[in-house]
């Protein structure tokens, strides 16, 4: 009989996944996508290079951590020790990344250098520590169950939990409300924004860290791991020589621009639909119902499509071949991304009238559904590659292969940040100009028409055209995917029998 997880373990794991991804989105969207650029006014090109350097280091650091995980052997297993001890440390550095700019005078050159240096050092350190929790968290999925269907279900649910953890992006809106409440007491809008973010981040991070801990303390590793261990150099070679894994890795890198949607999501909603400040929802005449409705439609489009797609993808896995599902989401997801920019141009650059908002929301729903489905399939197929490698070479590289997933996620974020920085730099949507724009918006100007609409246009372009191209490119490496479902079923059956024989011989 195949060993598998209990309902309680599944729920504890999903709670941990939720908490971990809440932390990720606080950083990816709250810090990189908003705080550094729109609150601290760090030059956008500097932000792009900070993220790029961090991602280059991750190319080395992630496989290193994967190697460490695969060499770990404790009474708790090889993944759980890191999930027990790393969340608190990750939570602390998450908070510290936002404690930036409150110790230096931003108007002086020395102060600006200190702010950028703190951003660079704290963000790179955060990425290193986050890896120590991310790789074991995903690697645990292939160790909790020997049953392929149960594993697929868990991965699908994990992606949903991760998607729900996207609530961390609300750090931007909550912080703006907090800043609005502090503005009169502080007497300075910029300081109020900084304090609003720090207070909000502390609150959300504490909650996220507690949830993250559940994955380590409430689960159990059931799949016996191989005794054979590889060096880091051998693991790099292993990752590249495993053809199906190599195809997924290349596909994920080509798909990097889709990260622009989540990177820019909150600044897009805040500036395009709330004119730069969510407190604009509460005008002199009370709640602005139409603005709230517009924001709700766009938010549902961005997030609901992902959740629904993640929920149904495990069911699709039972009926269709993995390769076909993966490529369908890749190619099909590109279409609504392309159409979004076409709608923007047809609408004359203003999609805030309710009809255009609905059309844009529907397209965002379909585009995000493609993202959600392909994320689930990526995890499922990497877990299959772990089985493939154990069957052919006698080693189960859960940590190393899922470090590849972590690397894809973070490299994609780095590439997306560079694309954003170059595009924003081209229209001077950066540092001092943003500060001037924010003041103009507070005095009644419209973001949609500000600076001839250049800023609005580049923002809309970034969440549509590059993601569409990335989705199309991502299907190329997997058109002739090397691991069929039929072959994987045979591999898994052989491994279950092998593990059972090993268990009998040890009794």
């Amino acid at each position: 009989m195949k060993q598998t997880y209990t309902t309680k373990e599944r729920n504890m794991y999903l709670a941990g996944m939720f908490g971990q991804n809440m932390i990720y989105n606080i950083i990816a969207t709250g810090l990189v996508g908003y705080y550094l650029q729109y609150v601290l006014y760090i030059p956008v090109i500097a932000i792009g290079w900070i993220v790029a350097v961090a991602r280059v280091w991750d190319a080395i650091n992630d496989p290193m951590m994967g190697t460490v995980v695969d060499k770990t052997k404790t009474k708790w297993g090889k993944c759980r020790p890191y999930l027990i001890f790393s969340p608190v440390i990750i939570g602390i550095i998450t908070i510290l990344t936002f404690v930036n700019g409150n110790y230096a005078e931003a108007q002086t050159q020395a102060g600006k250098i200190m702010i950028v240096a703190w951003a660079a050092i704290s963000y790179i350190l955060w990425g290193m520590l986050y890896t120590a929790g991310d790789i074991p968290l995903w690697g645990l999925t292939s160790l909790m169950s020997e049953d392929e269907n149960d594993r697929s279900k868990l991965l699908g649910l994990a992606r949903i939990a991760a998607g729900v953890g996207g609530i961390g992006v609300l750090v931007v809106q909550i912080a703006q409300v907090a800043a609005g409440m502090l503005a009169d007491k502080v007497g300075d809008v910029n300081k109020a924004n900084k304090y609003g973010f720090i207070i909000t981040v502390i609150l959300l991070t504490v909650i996220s860290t507690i949830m993250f801990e559940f994955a380590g303390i409430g689960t159990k590793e059931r799949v016996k791991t191989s005794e054979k261990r590889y060096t880091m150099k051998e693991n790099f070679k292993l990752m590249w020589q495993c053809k199906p894994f190599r195809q997924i890795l290349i596909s994920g890198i080509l798909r990097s621009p889709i990260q622009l949607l989540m990177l820019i999501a909150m600044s897009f909603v805040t500036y395009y639909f709330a004119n730069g400040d969510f407190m604009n929802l509460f005008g002199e005449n009370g709640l602005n119902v139409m603005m709230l409705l517009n924001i709700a439609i766009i938010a549902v489009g961005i997030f609901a499509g992902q959740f629904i797609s993640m929920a149904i993808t495990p069911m699709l896995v039972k009926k269709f071949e993995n390769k076909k599902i993966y490529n369908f989401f890749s190619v099909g997801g590109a279409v609504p991304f392309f159409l979004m920019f076409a709608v923007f141009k047809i609408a004359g650059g203003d999609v805030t009238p309710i009809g255009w908002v609905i059309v844009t929301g529907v397209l965002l729903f379909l585009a995000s559904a493609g993202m959600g489905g392909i994320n689930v399939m990526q995890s499922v197929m990497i877990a299959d590659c772990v089985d493939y490698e154990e069957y052919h070479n006698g080693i189960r590289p859960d940590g190393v292969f899922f470090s590849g997933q972590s690397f894809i996620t973070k490299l994609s974020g780095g590439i997306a940040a560079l694309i954003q920085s170059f595009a924003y730099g081209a229209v001077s949507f950066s540092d001092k100009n943003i500060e001037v724009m924010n003041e103009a918006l507070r005095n009644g100007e419209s973001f949609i028409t500000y600076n001839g609409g250049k800023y609005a246009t580049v923002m809309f372009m970034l969440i549509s055209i590059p993601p569409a191209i990335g989705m199309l490119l991502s299907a190329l490496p997997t058109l002739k995917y090397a691991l069929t479902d039929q072959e994987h079923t045979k591999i898994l059956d052989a491994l279950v029998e092998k593990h059972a024989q090993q268990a009998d011989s040890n009794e």
Side-chain angles (χ1 to χ4, degrees):
M1 183 177 178
K2 296 178 181 179
Q3 298 184 76
T4 194
Y5 49 82
T6 65
T7 300
K8 180 181 178 181
E9 288 177 58
R10 179 201 66 195
N11 294 341
M12 293 288 275
Y13 176 80
L14 295 176
M17 182 63 73
F18 168 83
Q20 187 244 21
N21 277 271
M22 200 168 163
I23 289 174
Y24 177 81
N25 283 285
I26 287 171
I27 292 292
T29 301
L31 181 76
V32 178
Y34 198 93
Y35 186 70
L36 297 181
Q37 184 175 359
Y38 300 101
V39 177
L40 296 185
Y41 304 123
I42 292 177
V44 69
I45 196 67
I47 298 171
W49 282 112
I50 288 170
V51 177
V53 169
R55 297 297 78 86
V56 170
W57 169 242
D58 284 336
I60 302 170
N61 183 51
D62 284 10
M64 282 175 60
M65 187 63 211
T67 301
V68 171
V69 171
D70 281 334
K71 288 186 175 183
T72 300
K73 187 176 182 181
T74 73
K75 63 180 181 180
W76 298 303
K78 70 178 186 179
C79 290
R80 287 183 60 225
Y82 302 98
L83 299 177
I84 293 171
F85 297 110
S86 68
V88 172
I89 301 172
I90 294 170
I92 291 171
I93 189 62
T94 298
I95 294 170
L96 289 177
T97 59
F98 285 86
V99 184
N100 189 335
N102 296 286
Y103 51 82
E105 176 53 56
Q107 300 304 316
T108 68
Q109 189 63 29
K112 291 177 181 178
I113 292 173
M114 288 178 67
I115 291 171
V116 173
W118 185 287
I121 294 169
S122 63
Y123 179 69
I124 292 172
L125 181 59
W126 176 87
M128 293 173 61
L129 294 172
Y130 183 82
T131 296
D134 188 51
I135 292 170
L137 185 63
W138 285 102
L140 188 60
T141 58
S142 66
L143 299 172
M144 288 174 65
S145 177
E146 293 181 322
D147 187 281
E148 183 177 11
N149 287 329
D150 283 351
R151 186 190 299 167
S152 294
K153 289 177 186 176
L154 183 62
L155 285 166
L157 290 170
R159 280 296 184 180
I160 293 174
V164 176
I167 194 174
V169 303
L170 293 180
V171 64
V172 174
Q173 284 68 46
I174 298 172
Q176 285 185 340
V177 173
M181 297 168 66
L182 291 169
D184 290 338
K185 295 180 180 179
V186 175
D188 180 273
V189 174
N190 289 330
K191 282 188 177 180
N193 284 333
K194 293 174 187 176
Y195 294 153
F197 262 93
I198 292 170
I199 292 169
T200 304
V201 167
I202 290 173
L203 176 63
L204 293 182
T205 301
V206 169
I207 296 171
S208 304
T209 300
I210 293 171
M211 298 289 284
F212 192 0
E213 279 288 352
F214 290 163
I217 63 178
T219 56
K220 181 180 178 181
E221 296 184 14
R222 286 180 168 79
V223 177
K224 184 176 176 63
T225 59
S226 56
E227 295 296 325
K228 189 176 181 181
R229 300 289 187 267
Y230 283 175
T231 64
M232 190 180 75
K233 181 179 179 180
E234 290 171 329
N235 278 329
F236 272 107
K237 186 177 180 180
L238 179 72
M239 292 169 68
W240 189 251
Q241 287 184 340
C242 180
K243 186 174 181 180
F245 181 78
R246 182 172 73 243
Q247 290 172 309
I248 296 170
L249 192 66
I250 295 172
S251 175
I253 294 171
L254 292 174
R255 194 171 60 249
S256 295
I258 68 169
Q259 294 294 332
L260 282 162
L261 178 59
M262 298 311 297
L263 177 65
I264 298 175
M266 288 302 102
S267 57
F268 169 65
V269 172
T270 300
Y271 277 93
Y272 198 90
F273 292 97
N275 208 42
D277 191 340
F278 261 70
M279 292 302 289
N280 288 329
L281 282 169
F282 311 100
E284 294 180 359
N285 300 320
L287 181 66
N288 187 328
V289 177
M290 187 55 66
M291 180 181 288
L292 179 61
L293 179 61
N294 286 353
I295 291 171
I297 291 171
I298 296 301
V300 168
I302 293 173
F303 295 105
Q306 293 186 60
F307 299 153
I308 293 173
S309 180
M310 290 171 182
I312 66 172
T313 298
M315 292 183 276
L316 296 177
V317 169
K318 295 179 181 179
K319 297 182 178 181
F320 303 100
E321 190 170 6
N322 287 349
K323 179 185 77 171
K324 291 181 179 178
I325 301 171
Y326 185 90
N327 290 333
F328 170 78
F329 280 127
S330 295
V331 177
V335 177
F337 274 119
F338 274 123
L339 290 177
M340 269 195 292
F341 194 70
V343 166
F344 173 78
K345 298 301 288 185
I346 292 170
D350 183 2
V351 297
T352 55
I354 189 63
W356 290 119
V357 170
I358 292 172
V359 173
T360 303
V362 170
L363 291 174
L364 279 168
F365 178 91
L366 295 174
S368 68
M371 289 176 58
I374 206 167
N375 283 337
V376 172
M377 291 310 303
Q378 176 180 277
S379 298
V380 169
M381 293 162 80
I382 288 176
D384 291 350
C385 289
V386 174
D387 295 328
Y388 177 94
E389 196 60 35
E390 182 183 5
Y391 178 78
H392 286 286
N393 294 311
I395 184 170
R396 191 169 184 83
D398 309 86
V400 171
F401 277 16
F402 275 98
S403 75
Q405 175 168 278
S406 178
F407 172 67
I408 290 171
T409 300
K410 290 191 285 186
L411 178 63
S412 296
I415 292 173
L418 272 181
I419 294 172
Q420 175 193 252
S421 67
F422 286 125
Y424 282 175
V427 294
S428 300
F429 188 29
S430 181
D431 53 291
K432 188 67 177 179
N433 288 337
I434 292 179
E435 187 175 5
V436 172
M437 178 193 71
N438 283 342
E439 184 63 29
L441 298 185
R442 284 193 287 269
N443 292 328
E445 290 201 41
S446 169
F447 174 74
I448 294 172
T449 57
Y450 183 82
N451 195 22
K454 289 181 181 179
Y455 295 170
T457 299
V458 74
M459 191 175 280
F460 223 105
M461 182 276 293
L462 284 172
I463 64 167
S464 55
I465 300 301
I469 295 171
M471 291 289 269
L472 286 176
L473 292 176
S474 71
L476 296 178
T478 54
L479 288 176
K480 295 183 179 180
Y481 187 56
L483 179 57
T484 66
D485 288 8
Q486 186 178 11
E487 182 183 358
H488 179 253
T489 298
K490 292 179 180 179
I491 287 173
L492 197 58
D493 288 342
L495 291 178
V496 169
E497 183 178 349
K498 173 186 173 184
H499 295 158
Q501 290 174 350
Q502 290 175 339
D504 291 339
S505 65
N506 291 332
E507 290 180 357

